[in-house]
Amino acid sequence: LDTRKEVLDKYSDTAKQALKTLDSTGVMVLHGIDATSPVDFKRMREKFEEKKVNPIDECSFDRVVFNFPHCGGATEQDVKINRNMLRGFFSSARSVLNIKGGQVHVTLRDTPFYKSWSIEDLAEAESFYLVKKDSIKSLQDFIDLGYQEARTNPATRAAPTTENALTYIFSLSRVETKMKKRKQNDVTGKISKKRKS
């Protein structure tokens, strides 16, 4: 949910360089977006329309990525809070994922605390199935792009490393894909009829 200023304050030169590179290549970077909120997807749609990009209802994403999600804390109550966050994320991601091979990637550390979140069950509840799990060490491209560990509150303690981390790769189930395709065809049909009339 960070604003651009908050991102630059937290991650300084690394963020500044990353944002500059993304901006220079024409990538639209939005700040202050809650990935668990349908309301924020409406805000995204408005931003897409402002930039003359297809509205979110008519476009979809090939990859939706969430690296090291964490709301903070390490108690049983915090586990519930983090599970709810991921549940909302999967629900929102499902609504904008490309039905032809789109994937959701979530990277978590492979520790008892993160395992207690039961990410695969959360994904399955939103009609996703696990394609595979990758050790982050095998994703050299990810590291080559300049990814660095950082805490959102650096004063607390050093950031955990990416060692012993896994990227979970999910796709929509066949049933969900068929339903999305049917809905997409209905929308396309309505748009075509409007254009003819």
Side-chain angles (χ1 to χ4, degrees):
L1 300 178
D2 293 340
T3 64
R4 189 179 183 103
K5 182 183 183 309
E6 287 169 333
V7 169
L8 291 170
D9 287 346
K10 284 180 183 179
Y11 308 111
S12 62
D13 292 340
T14 306
K16 189 175 182 180
Q17 185 55 48
L19 289 170
K20 185 178 177 183
T21 302
L22 290 168
D23 289 341
S24 68
T25 54
V27 174
M28 185 187 301
V29 180
L30 302 178
H31 299 276
I33 299 294
D34 180 354
T36 69
S37 166
V39 173
D40 274 18
F41 277 101
K42 183 180 178 185
R43 286 178 53 219
M44 280 176 61
R45 182 186 300 119
E46 290 164 359
K47 293 289 183 185
F48 273 77
E49 288 170 348
E50 281 173 23
K51 298 281 184 179
K52 296 184 170 56
V53 177
N54 286 337
I56 203 93
D57 280 336
E58 295 178 33
C59 71
S60 55
F61 297 96
D62 296 320
R63 298 289 181 271
V64 178
V65 180
F66 202 169
N67 291 321
F68 301 103
H70 195 290
C71 293
T75 67
E76 283 186 30
Q77 183 60 32
D78 295 321
V79 169
K80 289 179 184 175
I81 291 168
N82 282 292
R83 282 174 54 82
N84 284 336
M85 171 189 60
L86 277 178
R87 189 178 289 114
F89 166 71
F90 280 117
S91 177
S92 295
R94 187 184 67 210
S95 67
V96 296
L97 197 65
N98 187 335
I99 58 173
K100 295 180 180 176
Q103 294 180 339
V104 169
H105 294 203
V106 181
T107 302
L108 296 173
R109 296 185 70 216
D110 190 22
T111 67
F113 175 70
Y114 290 101
K115 284 179 180 177
S116 71
W117 296 9
S118 305
I119 186 172
E120 293 175 46
D121 293 341
L122 296 173
E124 188 179 343
E126 295 298 333
S127 302
F128 287 95
Y129 69 95
L130 183 69
V131 176
K132 65 177 177 175
K133 286 187 267 191
D134 263 335
S135 163
I136 200 166
K137 287 180 182 176
S138 70
L139 302 176
Q140 192 57 45
D141 289 346
F142 186 66
I143 295 157
D144 290 344
L145 287 170
Y147 181 81
Q148 294 177 342
E149 306 92 354
R151 281 200 181 276
T152 54
N153 182 1
T156 313
R157 60 184 184 272
T161 69
T162 55
E163 288 176 23
N164 204 28
L166 295 171
T167 296
Y168 295 79
I169 300 174
F170 298 98
S171 280
L172 286 171
S173 69
R174 288 186 178 85
V175 173
E176 178 71 13
T177 301
K178 283 179 184 175
M179 288 173 64
K180 274 196 78 174
K181 192 170 187 178
R182 190 175 298 136
K183 188 177 177 184
Q184 204 171 52
N185 288 341
D186 290 346
V187 170
T188 306
K190 287 175 185 174
I191 291 169
S192 298
K193 283 177 185 176
K194 281 182 184 176
R195 283 178 182 159
K196 284 177 183 175
S197 54

